[in-house]
Amino acid sequence: MSRVLEGPVTAALGLGGNIGDVAGAIRAVLAMLDQRADTEVTAVSSLYRTPPWGLTEQPDFLNCAALMTTRLSADDLLAACLDAEKALKRDRAGATRWGPRPIDIDVLTYGDETIGTETLIVPHPRMTDRGFVLLPLAEIAPDILVDGRSIAEWAAKIDATGIERIGEPEW
């Protein structure tokens, strides 16, 4: 059973994929989360075309970031995101790490909390190394602090080679 918080928390999500209708999958995930009584999507970045990271022999990705207010605990928010991935046919168990996928959702930040459990690390441990996370997030939440620096500061220092903003938010 989900634990509902007394007051809402602002969380940042990173969303992306590179198989099928990724923009449609992102819209579907955001709709699923927004339709819940305990979450509300409040901002969505533009879409960005980004080169693959990790396993590079695959199609480019589409990525964006979203902000939401939620009354879910961080673990329950992650569970809701994973349920949304499953609903869109993402199979994490059988997937190649950093390989092709129809949708991927990461909890990037959860308020100003630092969380380190077996299932969730927040802020996301590699977000400050990834332009495909920082550029979209800087568009909608430049002032969020991670490790003492704002997202805008992290984004200004990142190698953004090959990352291209391709359109306005579709939400």
Side-chain angles (χ1 to χ4, degrees):
M1 184 163 164
S2 295
R3 181 173 66 89
V4 178
L5 306 176
E6 288 183 26
V9 172
T10 298
L13 302 179
L15 302 98
N18 68 342
I19 298 173
D21 179 10
V22 176
I26 289 170
R27 281 192 302 275
V29 164
L30 294 173
M32 284 181 220
L33 293 171
D34 196 58
Q35 289 169 0
R36 295 176 58 104
D38 47 20
T39 59
E40 179 185 2
V41 175
T42 58
V44 180
S45 75
S46 301
L47 287 174
Y48 289 76
R49 181 177 295 112
T50 64
W53 192 94
L55 181 63
T56 58
E57 296 300 318
Q58 61 180 315
D60 285 350
F61 280 76
L62 289 182
N63 292 96
C64 75
L67 293 178
M68 63 176 30
T69 56
T70 183
R71 296 175 79 84
L72 292 173
S73 69
D75 285 325
D76 289 337
L77 176 59
L78 175 62
C81 291
L82 295 177
D83 287 346
E85 285 185 358
K86 285 180 195 169
L88 294 173
K89 309 296 186 228
R90 167 89 192 267
D91 176 16
R92 281 185 176 245
T96 301
R97 184 173 182 154
W98 298 318
R101 64 201 79 148
I103 188 70
D104 182 54
I105 312 163
D106 290 321
V107 178
L108 303 174
T109 64
Y110 183 82
D112 59 2
E113 291 191 36
T114 299
I115 300 166
T117 67
E118 286 184 28
T119 56
L120 181 64
I121 299 173
V122 173
H124 189 284
R126 292 171 297 282
M127 69 183 283
T128 58
D129 298 328
R130 297 176 172 177
F132 65 86
V133 171
L134 292 171
L135 295 180
L137 189 55
E139 184 181 315
I140 59 172
D143 298 327
I144 289 178
L145 294 178
V146 174
D147 294 336
R149 294 163 114 180
S150 71
I151 293 298
E153 290 175 278
W154 285 110
K157 296 180 185 316
I158 198 74
D159 178 4
T161 302
I163 299 174
E164 175 187 8
R165 183 175 173 264
I166 60 169
E168 296 298 319
E170 294 192 24
W171 173 245

